[in-house]
Amino acid sequence: DTEGLLRIKEENQKHYRRAQRHQEKKEKIQRHNRKLGDLVEKKTYELKTQYEHLANLRRSHILELTSVIFPIEEVKTSMRDPADVSSESDNAMTSSTVSKLAEARRTTYLSGRWVCDDHNGDTSISITGPWIILPNNGDYSAYYNWVEEKKTTQGPDMEHNNPAHTISAALCYATQLVNTLSLILDVNLPKKLCNRQVKTQQGNHEFCGENLSRHRFTRAVKKLNANILHLCFSQHVNLDLLHPLHTLRNLMYLVSPDTENLGR
């Protein structure tokens, strides 16, 4: 029994010495982890600072781009509310008729269905100048109507007075601006739209050059609107301000100085 007790004591001493070595190793690992934690925290702070600096640079580039090359502004139109005009002409008009006229004013027939538009008739959005504007309600039917009419009508073409060219130019500039913004913000766009006016291996510009059919034009506009919404989502633009058909208005909200997260 005495010999057995001595053996147990020796084994316990070995285990105790091994436990001490393991404790020293554990403390060493904990010190190393604390150093790594401090280093990671420091690097994380530096990375966050660099992100903020990069966001400020992106923001300044975008604001300079949209103030010098691609200014986007709201253009007021001098249209009076039909309800007000009718009320002045007929004092006996009932309030229900006035409200119905006001509701009709906020409704647009677009692509075979009625669309509610609170800004209809009040304003338009211009890009690169007050003469290049888009309908605020997203109704670009003037373009493909002109294309179809041009195919059948013979005679002089009053191109300088045609609103279809204004629509084409505005969409062309919007496409170029969106592609440039995607490069500055480092955000991949879901839809591919070419903004070159010459033929390349990638294709033509979607809105400049040859006249597009109604199907191709509508498809290109949908792709442009999808890209704009994708950029707005990436920069955390207030969703209550966005509308899937308001091309330039969504773009205006995106590049507005009031957009807090612009450049993220």
Side-chain angles (χ1 to χ4, degrees):
D1 293 339
T2 303
E3 292 177 355
L5 179 63
L6 291 175
R7 288 196 301 270
I8 292 175
K9 287 183 177 180
E10 290 178 358
E11 291 179 359
N12 287 341
Q13 289 179 353
K14 290 180 181 179
H15 291 162
Y16 178 75
R17 288 192 295 268
R18 184 182 299 175
Q20 283 186 327
R21 292 196 299 269
H22 289 168
Q23 182 65 26
E24 292 175 356
K25 186 181 295 185
K26 175 184 174 183
E27 294 175 355
K28 182 179 179 181
I29 293 175
Q30 288 178 342
R31 289 194 300 270
H32 180 69
N33 288 340
R34 283 195 294 268
K35 289 182 181 179
L36 288 181
D38 295 339
L39 180 62
V40 169
E41 184 177 356
K42 179 181 177 181
K43 293 296 184 181
T44 302
Y45 176 77
E46 293 177 356
L47 180 62
K48 182 179 178 181
T49 303
Q50 290 296 327
Y51 274 145
E52 293 176 354
H53 178 63
L54 179 59
N56 291 331
L57 285 178
R58 289 171 171 170
R59 182 184 183 90
S60 63
H61 289 335
I62 291 174
L63 295 180
E64 183 178 7
L65 177 69
T66 54
S67 63
V68 178
I69 303 178
F70 294 102
I72 302 177
E73 298 177 348
E74 195 169 9
V75 180
K76 296 289 184 180
T77 56
S78 58
M79 294 181 62
R80 301 185 62 189
D81 196 318
D84 298 337
V85 177
S86 300
S87 297
E88 295 174 359
S89 62
D90 186 6
N91 295 327
M93 179 174 292
T94 62
S95 60
S96 61
T97 307
V98 174
S99 62
K100 289 179 181 179
L101 284 173
E103 182 181 357
R105 177 175 170 267
R106 294 191 298 269
T107 308
T108 302
Y109 189 74
L110 180 60
S111 299
R113 61 189 180 93
W114 292 98
V115 177
C116 180
D117 181 14
D118 293 337
H119 301 285
N120 185 21
D122 293 335
T123 59
S124 296
I125 308 297
S126 67
I127 183 170
T128 70
W131 54 90
I132 302 181
I133 61 176
L134 281 181
N136 195 34
N137 56 7
D139 183 9
Y140 307 142
S141 58
Y143 178 87
Y144 43 78
N145 288 341
W146 169 73
V147 172
E148 294 174 358
E149 183 180 356
K150 189 175 180 181
K151 293 179 180 178
T152 58
T153 305
Q154 300 294 333
D157 186 9
M158 303 297 290
E159 293 188 351
H160 56 283
N161 292 328
N162 202 306
H165 287 185
T166 302
I167 293 176
S168 177
L171 294 174
C172 174
Y173 286 132
T175 302
Q176 188 173 2
L177 175 58
V178 168
N179 289 343
T180 305
L181 291 176
S182 69
L183 294 176
I184 296 176
L185 296 173
D186 194 23
V187 175
N188 294 326
L189 298 176
K191 306 294 182 180
K192 184 177 181 180
L193 278 176
C194 181
N195 62 351
R196 299 181 182 180
Q197 298 187 14
V198 296
K199 286 188 176 182
T200 63
Q201 293 180 354
Q202 290 77 21
N204 293 355
H205 190 287
E206 296 289 347
F207 300 106
C208 290
E210 60 179 294
N211 300 325
L212 300 178
S213 63
R214 178 169 181 168
H215 174 72
R216 288 183 59 192
F217 180 83
T218 305
R219 182 171 176 268
V221 170
K222 289 181 179 179
K223 291 166 66 176
L224 175 60
N225 287 335
N227 286 343
I228 293 175
L229 288 175
H230 183 74
L231 288 178
C232 291
F233 298 154
S234 72
Q235 302 306 299
H236 291 177
V237 178
N238 186 0
L239 299 181
D240 295 333
L241 301 175
L242 303 178
H243 190 287
L245 299 179
H246 295 174
T247 306
L248 288 186
R249 183 173 291 276
N250 293 340
L251 201 53
M252 181 179 68
Y253 288 138
L254 171 65
V255 299
S256 171
D258 297 331
T259 304
E260 297 179 358
N261 296 298
L262 182 61
R264 65 179 295 277

